[in-house]
Structure formats: C-alpha cells, structure tokens
C-alpha cells in the first residue's frame, strides 16, 4: 500500500537518483577524465570499438562505464553508436577551455567528495575534522593547500571554471558603472577581475589573496591585463587592505566565514572606502526560508566539513543585515541570478 501511495511521488524518484548519484558522479567524471565527451564531440556516432581505441579501457569495463553514463542522459546510444547529449556537448566537450565543467568534476572528486565521508563526525564535532587529511596546521583548507601545489592547482582550476560560469551575471551589473578601482578581496587567481576590467574599460582592479594563490594569478587570465589587474598578496584578516579602491568586491568569499568574521571584513571594507564608495557581495544565496538551493546546500556542507568549519550560502537578508550593521546605506540585493547567485551591495555615505 505504502509503495503504491509513493508511486507518483517526485521525492521518491529523486531519492532513487540520489542514492545512486555518488557512483554516477564518479562515472561521469571518469568519462570526462578519459576525454570521451571531447572524442564524441569530434566523432559523433562512434561505436564502442572506436571509443575503446581512443581511451584504451578494456572492452568490458568500457561497456560498464558507457552504460552508467547513458543512464544519466549525458551520453545517448542510438542504433548501437554513441552521441553526446546537448548538455554534455555544452558543458563537457570542450575540456581544454578554462570554463569546462570537466575541471569542476575533477576538483569536486579530489577535494570535496572525499571529505563528505567525514560529515557525521565533523557536524557532531562542530568543526572541519576532514581537514586532518591535508598536511599542515592552518585552520582552513585555503591555508593548507599551499603545502600541496598539485592539489591547489586542481582546486583553483575547478573554482575558476565555476567562477567563469557565473561571472557574466556579476560583470553585467550596473553597480560597476562609474567605479574606478575595485579591490577584489579573496580574488583567487584573478579570473573575476580579468573579466571585470575587460567589460569595464575605465576600471582597474587589485586582487588580494593568499601569497600562494597570487602565484597562480600571475600565470592565469589576470596576466592578460598586467596594466589594469594588480596582485596584492596577503591575509584578509591580519593584513591591511591595499589603499585606493572606490569599491570592494567579495566574490564567493564571505560565505566561507561566520557572522563575526563577516562583520569584521565588512567593517574593514567600510574603513578602506571613501565616501560614496560601495561594497559588493556576490555569491550563492539559499532561499530566505532556507529550504531551497542544492548548490548552496553542497557548499555549506563543504565549508563545515572541510574548508573552514563554519559558514554557509547565507540568505540575502543576512548579508543585508550585516551590511547595515557595518555602516553601509542604500543596502539592497539583486537575487535570482544564475546558479542560485545573488548580489548584495551597500554604499558608504
Ligand atoms: C571560494 S574562493 C573565491 C575566489 C574568487 N573570488 C571567485 O569568485 O572565484 C575564496 C578565496 O578566498 C581566499 N582566502 C581564503 N582565506 C583567505 C585569507 N585569510 N586571506 C586572503 N585570501 C583568503 C582563498 O585563497 C580563495 O582564493
């Protein structure tokens, strides 16, 4: 009886997908790492023999892998030959582009998902116990990755790919009209700043991030605008903010931390800005009732289990409250941006 009652229940359907999703996630990542989506993009309609000649997997193992990826809908098999779905073609085929989802899959596989096995322990302990798997004694993943340059590069490649997928909604916002110099706090490898200055010809940017990350920035997209994107290595909590910005940007940064640290950073931004200067907070928002947002849910868990032991994809109303508490006026949010993103801002009177 109970089964019949659940037959049409979309929650049940989602549950069935969900419990198999970790295996399927890894199958899709493996197919991406074997470059099967890139191969099928150049040779659509290949059969298993062709794919095998390209990727070198044993015939049976390839059969198992292709079956798994077909169940996700990313690969389609018609008349015994294989094609990328439209989604695979758009997200995974061009796997050497910096915004390819293939970088995100590898980053989540190597950094995020191993940590989630520690979720119960970490949430009970109230701290990011999964960090113990990474060498060093720094309290956050960002600090510890400096000990593992290979993993740090995988991590930042994934983060950059995601940033590039969501950055257009940021750079098109009128909030940057008339801004002269933006301070991009926690600006990572500078990809956001590079896109911002390319879109706004009058703008310069200073990317402020940990020294080991600034090293990555000089080789990445930011290097394409040496005269308008500068790097300022430092710790956003213990070092002073560089002088001269009329806007401070926190893109995918404040959600890493708790209320006290966020308020500290907002007050530091307020102090660094001239009258009329603005602060821009861009990133994931969960819904105001905190029931929606799958990207935000994953991110909040990742912060608490591994990255920082605190933080979450806060609802926009939290950011607005903190901006007012830090002294900003004209506080407001543009919500509903792609990938569950929102932009909150405030102006220093
Ligand atoms: C999630 S990433 C966001 C990168 C970039 N802003 C974007 O939108 O893709 C967070 C960044 O904050 C930096 N970060 C974390 N703690 C920091 C600290 N104490 N001082 C400076 N940067 C820090 C990390 O190195 C990382 O590049």
């Amino acid at each position: 009886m109970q089964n019949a009652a659940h037959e049409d229940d979309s929650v049940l359907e989602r549950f069935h997908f969900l419990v198999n999703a970790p295996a399927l996630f890894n199958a899709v990542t493996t197919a991406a790492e074997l470059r099967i989506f890139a191969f099928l993009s150049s040779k659509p309609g290949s059969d298993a023999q062709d794919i095998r000649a390209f990727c070198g997997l044993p015939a049976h193992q390839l059969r198992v892998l292709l079956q798994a990826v077909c169940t996700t809908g990313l690969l389609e098999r018609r008349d015994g030959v294989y094609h990328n779905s439209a989604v695979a073609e758009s997200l995974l085929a061009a796997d050497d582009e910096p915004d390819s989802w293939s970088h995100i899959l590898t980053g989540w596989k190597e950094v995020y998902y191993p940590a989630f096995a520690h979720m119960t322990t970490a949430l009970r302990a109230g701290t990011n116990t999964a960090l113990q798997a990474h060498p060093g004694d720094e309290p956050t993943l960002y600090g510890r990755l400096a000990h593992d340059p290979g993993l740090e590069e995988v991590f930042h490649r994934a983060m950059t790919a995601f940033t590039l997928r969501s950055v257009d909604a940021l750079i098109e916002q009128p909030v940057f009209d008339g801004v002269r110099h933006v301070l991009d706090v926690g600006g990572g490898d500078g990809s956001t700043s590079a896109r911002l200055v390319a879109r706004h010809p009058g703008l310069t940017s200073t990317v402020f991030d940990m020294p080991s990350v600034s090293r990555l920035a000089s080789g990445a997209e930011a290097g394409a605008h040496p005269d308008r994107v500068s790097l300022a290595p430092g710790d956003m909590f213990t070092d002073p903010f560089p002088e001269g910005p009329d806007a401070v940007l926190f893109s995918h940064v404040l959600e890493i931390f708790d209320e006290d640290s966020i308020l500290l950073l907002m007050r530091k931004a307020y102090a660094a800005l001239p009258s009329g200067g603005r602060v821009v907070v861009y990133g994931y928002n969960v819904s105001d009732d905190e029931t929606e947002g799958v990207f935000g849910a994953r991110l909040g868990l990742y912060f608490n289990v591994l990255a920082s032991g605190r933080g979450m994809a806060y609802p926009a109303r939290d950011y607005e409250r903190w901006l007012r508490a830090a002294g900003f006026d004209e506080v407001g949010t543009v919500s509903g941006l792609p990938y569950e993103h929102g932009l909150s801002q405030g102006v220093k009177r």
Side-chain angles (χ1 to χ4, degrees), residues 45-65:
S46 295
D47 64 14
Q49 294 257 42
D50 301 329
I51 300 173
R52 188 177 169 214
F54 172 73
C55 74
L57 279 198
H60 177 73
Q61 279 67 21
L62 179 62
R63 182 180 178 187
V64 171
L65 180 68

Side-chain angles (χ1 to χ4, degrees), residues 113-187:
Y113 288 137
F116 287 151
H118 303 266
M119 191 176 297
T120 309
T121 310
L123 296 188
R124 271 211 181 105
T127 187
N128 48 340
T129 56
L131 195 61
Q132 287 160 10
H134 297 271
D137 54 10
E138 294 83 353
T140 69
L141 177 69
Y142 308 98
R144 290 207 189 182
L145 281 174
H147 301 283
D148 190 344
L151 197 64
E152 187 171 51
E153 222 167 305
V154 166
F155 175 81
H156 281 281
R157 207 178 298 131
M159 203 159 66
T160 297
F162 214 113
T163 297
L164 293 175
R165 296 246 157 214
S166 59
V167 75
D168 286 347
L170 172 69
I171 65 177
E172 294 302 332
Q173 293 301 318
V175 68
F176 292 104
D177 294 349
V179 173
R180 185 181 44 78
H181 179 186
V182 65
L183 174 62
D184 183 2
V185 179

Side-chain angles (χ1 to χ4, degrees), residues 98-322:
D99 69 348
S100 171
W101 259 91
S102 61
H103 307 308
I104 303 171
L105 296 182
T106 296
W108 289 8
K109 182 192 87 169
E110 304 219 348
V111 184
Y112 282 45
Y113 288 137
F116 287 151
H118 303 266
M119 191 176 297
T120 309
T121 310
L123 296 188
R124 271 211 181 105
T127 187
N128 48 340
T129 56
L131 195 61
Q132 287 160 10
H134 297 271
D137 54 10
E138 294 83 353
T140 69
L141 177 69
Y142 308 98
R144 290 207 189 182
L145 281 174
H147 301 283
D148 190 344
L151 197 64
E152 187 171 51
E153 222 167 305
V154 166
F155 175 81
H156 281 281
R157 207 178 298 131
M159 203 159 66
T160 297
F162 214 113
T163 297
L164 293 175
R165 296 246 157 214
S166 59
V167 75
D168 286 347
L170 172 69
I171 65 177
E172 294 302 332
Q173 293 301 318
V175 68
F176 292 104
D177 294 349
V179 173
R180 185 181 44 78
H181 179 186
V182 65
L183 174 62
D184 183 2
V185 179
D189 74 357
S191 305
T192 301
S193 279
R195 296 289 164 118
L196 261 177
V197 303
R199 173 69 182 79
H200 300 272
L203 189 64
T204 60
S205 178
T206 302
V207 180
F208 185 56
D209 208 299
M210 326 264 268
S212 63
V213 178
S214 289
R215 180 179 51 76
L216 296 174
S218 49
E221 241 186 281
H225 305 273
D227 46 334
R228 291 202 292 135
V229 177
S230 58
L231 308 177
D235 185 307
M236 61 171 96
F237 291 105
T238 53
D239 292 316
F241 280 174
E243 287 181 2
D246 54 352
V248 174
L249 169 65
F250 296 103
S251 166
H252 303 122
V253 168
L254 296 182
E255 57 260 54
I256 301 169
F257 304 111
D258 58 20
E259 171 161 1
D260 288 350
S261 301
I262 293 172
L263 272 170
L264 185 152
L265 290 170
M266 284 182 174
R267 291 194 169 115
K268 212 164 155 175
Y270 188 89
L273 284 168
S275 169
R278 56 180 75 233
V279 63
V280 179
V281 178
Y282 183 62
Y284 301 84
N285 290 158
V286 296
S287 61
D288 270 351
D289 70 357
E290 303 188 14
T291 61
E292 282 172 38
V294 287
F295 282 96
R298 177 194 44 82
L299 196 74
L301 292 165
Y302 152 74
F303 289 146
N304 286 276
V305 172
L306 176 65
S308 58
R310 51 209 169 125
M312 67 181 286
Y314 295 100
R317 63 183 157 80
D318 281 3
Y319 287 124
E320 294 185 353
R321 183 164 47 82
W322 294 325

